[in-house]
Amino acid sequence: MVGLQRRGSFLFKLGGAFGAAAFMDATLFSWEVGWMAFAALQLLLLVLAAAARPAILRRPAARTSFALAGIAALAMIIDPGLLAWCLFWLFAGLGTLMPAAARFGDAWGWSQRLILHALRAGIAPLLDLRRLIRVSPRRGRGQLRRALPQLVLPLIGSGVILGLFASANPVIENWFDQALALTPPDDWFVRFPLGAVWFTMAWSLLRPRMSRRVLGTFDGRGDLALPGVTPASVQLSLIAFNALFALQNAMDLLWLWGLAPLPKGMTLAEYAHRGAYPLVVTALLAAGFVLVALRPGSTTATMPLVRRLVIVWIAQNVLLVGNAALRTMDYIAAYSLTELRIAALLWMALVALGLALVMWRLLRGKSAAWLINTNAAAALAVLLGCSFVDLNSVAARYNIAHAREVGGGGAALDICHLQGMGVSALTALAQLEQRPAPEPIHLWAQLLRENAQARLTRDLAEYRWSVLGALRLAEVRATLRKDALNPADHGWIDCTHRDVTELRGALGLEPAIPAPAAPALTRPAKP
């Protein structure tokens, strides 16, 4: 009975993997669904994995991982991207492996298991096929030898009857003709390898194999004998480090907050840009020092003076990271906002949170696994949130709202940057067209908006549909009304051009009519 259940489960997984591969092939090449096919595949795989492996639904942690994978698949519907795709496979991999683990452990061990699982996924179907062939070869050959004589009469008889029916029924005859006329599709060299990829992805969730041996987590408790690291040296180090950090933070407070003028020859943008990232690295080194030299349960961690110094030092590190973020904001005010600068600010926020968690671990005696899991959860939460947000669109809206040309207090508008953003800047460009600005800026806004809108309209019509794309198009049409119904693609134009006549010509507009000359106020003198 158990053997039949296992065989049925294996056949269900095999059929599910082939079904998922056939579904992706049909949605991409026959139905031409486009981007939505990837989200549909992800949701289908979650349902198949939950049905084939009921243990997933019995484990709360596995259910949570699958729910997060579903959220990542939803992000693929809203705004398809590589980040959402990778997050889906991370959460789905966690959920499908968790039933085989006695306890969760920590993110360090699971990151190793996921890497090994991904590396093994490419050859897992071949390994399972070899295992299936070697299970019971003699019994399999005996069953086949006994079954062949029994199949001769049904096969020959069915063939004769079908032949007679085909000669008497033109419909059946047409079926035979169509079946014999079948040929591989012209793009088989693309579809077959892709089908193998989809099958492999499905198989990795339906029949996973978790690696038992991984590198253990460094617990980080008790005294650790290191040359030169003694309670006295740690205490002196903390006093010296606090003094140095106090000096750096004092200079940042004076200059970044405008309490004192900068040294001659240095601008605020230069001071802000040069110091942001090294300060964050300094804070990370400080966290490493606390983890190694002041481990929970160690002699240094129990000394009251050392604990107070650590609290002050961590607080100064958090202030240091805050000042680094402020430096980045000052640099943004001088040179505009970009996707990478948004990512840098988010990373700094995670570093500040990590420092606070290091201090909390020291004060409360938390384990290293708790520290790793908490930081990993915070990072994944930020990444999952970013998968729903187009950071380039955020940057475009910010830059246009604060541009110097529209009365803002920020940097001059970077047309080349907006041109490189493409569809992400569409709604911001439409809003720029409605704001008072110099004519070259208005012409560039219309030019870039029409190019981006034409591209987005073409993408939506060619099965690259997404919720965010449809919402963008609707917002632009609501903002500009009839002027945005039939956009034209004007092609690429050098973003450094500012000549009004050239820009109007690119848009197909009439040249600007010069204003008539004012009449002379005095008559010319008579000769």
Side-chain angles (χ1 to χ4, degrees):
M1 187 67 178
V2 176
L4 290 176
Q5 291 178 348
R6 290 180 178 176
R7 186 178 305 174
S9 175
F10 178 82
L11 292 177
F12 178 81
K13 295 173 183 176
L14 186 63
F18 275 115
F23 173 79
M24 275 302 288
D25 181 80
T27 52
L28 286 178
F29 295 97
S30 299
W31 303 339
E32 297 182 345
V33 175
W35 293 120
M36 299 297 294
F38 296 98
L41 172 68
Q42 291 173 339
L43 294 174
L44 175 63
L45 290 180
L46 292 179
V47 174
L48 289 174
R53 307 181 64 242
I56 293 175
L57 300 179
R58 292 194 294 266
R59 290 287 297 271
R63 290 200 305 268
T64 303
S65 294
F66 263 41
L68 293 173
I71 294 174
L74 179 62
M76 286 290 295
I77 298 175
I78 295 176
D79 186 19
L82 181 61
L83 178 59
W85 175 262
C86 294
L87 286 175
F88 168 84
W89 288 105
L90 187 149
F91 289 125
L94 276 175
T96 197
L97 292 176
M98 279 179 182
R103 59 188 184 87
F104 180 79
D106 57 73
W108 165 241
W110 280 107
S111 63
Q112 299 174 66
R113 294 187 184 99
L114 286 174
I115 292 173
L116 295 174
H117 175 66
L119 294 175
R120 185 184 178 278
I123 60 172
L126 299 177
L127 297 177
D128 287 336
L129 178 62
R130 187 184 68 174
R131 188 180 295 109
L132 182 64
I133 294 174
R134 296 174 58 182
V135 167
S136 182
R138 294 182 179 179
R139 184 178 62 183
R141 285 196 296 269
Q143 292 176 349
L144 181 63
R145 193 179 296 113
R146 289 192 298 272
L148 283 177
Q150 301 176 11
L151 295 175
V152 173
L153 181 60
L155 290 174
I156 293 177
S158 298
V160 172
I161 292 174
L162 280 175
L164 294 173
F165 283 167
S167 62
N169 190 332
V171 176
I172 297 179
E173 184 180 10
N174 289 334
W175 288 352
F176 273 105
D177 293 340
Q178 292 175 5
L180 295 175
L182 286 178
T183 57
D186 296 335
D187 53 355
W188 64 269
F189 57 91
V190 176
R191 298 175 67 170
F192 287 179
L194 281 179
V197 172
W198 310 135
F199 178 88
T200 301
M201 289 181 172
W203 198 250
S204 68
L205 295 184
L206 297 174
R207 276 186 63 84
R209 288 292 182 271
M210 188 181 72
S211 301
R212 301 289 180 180
R213 297 180 180 180
V214 295
L215 299 176
T217 303
F218 179 68
D219 182 64
R221 286 182 171 272
D223 290 313
L224 180 64
L226 292 175
V229 180
T230 62
S233 65
V234 170
Q235 184 172 327
L236 291 174
S237 298
L238 288 173
I239 294 173
F241 295 163
N242 270 302
L244 293 174
F245 273 66
L247 177 62
Q248 176 62 45
N249 284 325
M251 287 190 292
D252 281 347
L253 291 175
L254 286 174
W255 294 331
L256 291 178
W257 294 87
L259 302 179
L262 285 165
K264 292 183 178 181
M266 180 177 292
T267 63
L268 181 60
E270 181 184 2
Y271 179 80
H273 180 63
R274 292 185 60 183
Y277 301 111
L279 292 181
V280 175
V281 174
T282 304
L284 292 173
L285 292 176
F289 176 82
V290 173
L291 291 175
V292 174
L294 295 106
R295 309 196 304 172
S298 63
T299 303
T300 53
T302 58
M303 298 171 63
L305 178 60
V306 170
R307 293 171 70 88
R308 296 191 190 97
L309 289 171
V310 168
I311 293 174
V312 174
W313 194 35
I314 294 295
Q316 288 207 79
N317 274 277
V318 173
L319 178 60
L320 192 73
V321 175
N323 286 331
L326 183 59
R327 289 167 180 258
T328 305
M329 292 300 299
D330 289 336
Y331 191 74
I332 289 170
Y335 296 103
S336 74
L337 183 63
T338 65
E339 184 181 23
L340 290 178
R341 288 164 193 162
I342 297 175
L345 290 173
L346 294 174
W347 178 56
M348 292 175 192
L350 288 175
V351 170
L353 176 62
L355 289 168
L357 293 174
V358 167
M359 182 175 66
W360 188 256
R361 175 190 181 235
L362 175 66
L363 296 177
R364 297 298 180 181
K366 298 288 186 178
S367 64
W370 174 87
L371 182 63
I372 294 172
N373 291 342
T374 310
N375 279 282
L380 288 176
V382 171
L383 290 175
L384 190 59
C386 289
S387 66
F388 285 88
V389 180
D390 186 350
L391 298 183
N392 266 328
S393 179
V394 174
R397 288 178 179 271
Y398 177 91
N399 292 335
I400 288 176
H402 296 82
R404 194 178 304 158
E405 292 85 348
V406 295
L413 202 58
D414 190 343
I415 298 297
C416 296
H417 188 207
L418 290 173
Q419 188 178 43
M421 290 181 179
V423 174
S424 297
L426 178 60
T427 54
L429 290 168
Q431 293 172 1
L432 178 58
E433 288 186 67
Q434 302 298 101
R435 302 184 62 174
E439 186 178 5
I441 297 299
H442 270 164
L443 293 174
W444 265 115
Q446 182 180 352
L447 182 65
L448 296 180
R449 190 265 305 166
E450 290 187 357
N451 283 350
Q453 188 177 349
R455 175 184 169 188
L456 179 59
T457 304
R458 186 169 58 252
D459 288 347
L460 295 178
E462 294 177 355
Y463 307 101
R464 288 192 286 268
W465 189 89
S466 67
V467 172
L468 184 59
L471 291 177
R472 277 176 176 155
L473 196 57
E475 182 180 351
V476 169
R477 287 174 175 172
T479 301
L480 301 178
R481 296 180 176 86
K482 294 183 180 180
D483 294 338
L485 293 180
N486 298 307
D489 190 345
H490 306 285
W492 183 88
I493 299 176
D494 189 356
C495 58
T496 60
H497 291 176
R498 295 293 185 273
D499 183 69
V500 172
T501 303
E502 183 178 355
L503 294 175
R504 292 182 68 88
L507 286 166
L509 302 175
E510 295 293 333
I513 300 175
L521 297 180
T522 58
R523 294 181 179 179
K526 293 182 179 181

